[in-house]
Amino acid sequence: MAKGSMRMSAEERRESIVRAAMAEFARGGYHGTSTETIARRVGVSQPYLFRLFPNKQAIFLAAADRCVAETRRAFTAAVREEPGLSAHDAMGAAYRRLVHDPDMLLMQLQLYVAVAAAEAAGDHEFGAGIRAAWLELWDQAHLALGGDSAETAGFFAYGMLINVLVALGFSPDHRVWSGMQLPPE
């Protein structure tokens, strides 16, 4: 194989940076993760990283967008591929599988923290794209659930409770899970 054919395109490198950023930001948060750490994980220099992304905020926002987009894709696939389940149960089962990936769960929690911290500091623009992506997720679930606002709110409330229980490390057989009407995994 020729030496040049082993090289990644800028788009492939950008993709690897977003994946690495999700993992690093998931564990260290926005303020606790350096671009140097992300560059090192990918195997590129910081200057190269900044040729693909203008700044750390752009890298974080790309990772946050990916996190929400993967959840949307999981919901879409679940509804399409599980015709025997209600949309609520299919998306719920897909979500439970998704948040058992520590990077997905922690990145989701970190994006909430980062937006809240930016808002508290007076930066209302930082979270605009994340709010828009999350609203698309809400709207997608809302439509799949038949446009029922109460069911949509209940679905997301269960999801947030699942986030808390998984993040805190409660085993699936712990009593805190009892009483929850969970779809099959």
Side-chain angles (χ1 to χ4, degrees):
M1 183 176 273
K3 186 177 183 178
S5 63
M6 299 274 301
R7 299 184 117 179
M8 283 189 191
S9 69
E11 190 53 41
E12 290 168 324
R13 186 65 74 185
R14 183 179 172 80
E15 174 63 26
S16 68
I17 290 168
V18 171
R19 281 193 313 269
M22 277 186 69
E24 294 297 333
F25 285 128
R27 285 165 179 74
Y30 180 71
H31 295 290
T33 301
S34 71
T35 56
E36 181 181 324
T37 302
I38 296 167
R40 192 175 330 113
R41 182 181 184 113
V42 178
V44 300
S45 66
Q46 252 185 318
Y48 185 79
L49 189 81
F50 289 123
R51 283 180 33 208
L52 298 176
F53 293 91
N55 54 37
K56 179 180 174 178
Q57 182 176 335
I59 298 168
F60 181 84
L61 293 175
D65 187 58
R66 170 66 55 79
C67 180
V68 177
E70 286 188 18
T71 305
R72 281 195 319 267
R73 279 193 289 278
F75 285 178
T76 298
V79 170
R80 184 179 57 244
E81 296 167 6
E82 299 286 347
L85 294 178
S86 68
H88 187 281
D89 287 348
M91 291 187 306
Y95 186 71
R96 285 179 45 221
R97 288 188 298 271
L98 196 66
V99 298
H100 283 313
D101 173 350
D103 288 345
M104 285 299 293
L105 174 61
L106 293 173
M107 183 63 200
Q108 186 182 127
L109 298 174
Q110 292 290 0
L111 71 90
Y112 300 148
V113 169
V115 171
E119 289 289 322
D123 181 354
H124 306 294
E125 293 302 312
F126 179 85
I130 296 171
R131 281 189 295 275
W134 196 89
L135 186 56
E136 287 178 30
L137 177 65
W138 173 276
D139 289 342
Q140 174 189 351
H142 185 66
L143 288 174
L145 295 169
D148 184 318
S149 295
E151 186 171 358
T152 305
F155 176 77
F156 279 91
Y158 257 57
M160 293 307 286
L161 179 56
I162 290 168
N163 287 353
V164 170
L165 298 179
V166 172
L168 292 176
F170 284 105
S171 66
D173 60 343
H174 194 279
R175 65 183 171 80
V176 297
W177 290 95
S178 66
M180 289 183 64
Q181 306 257 325
L182 296 173
E185 283 193 64

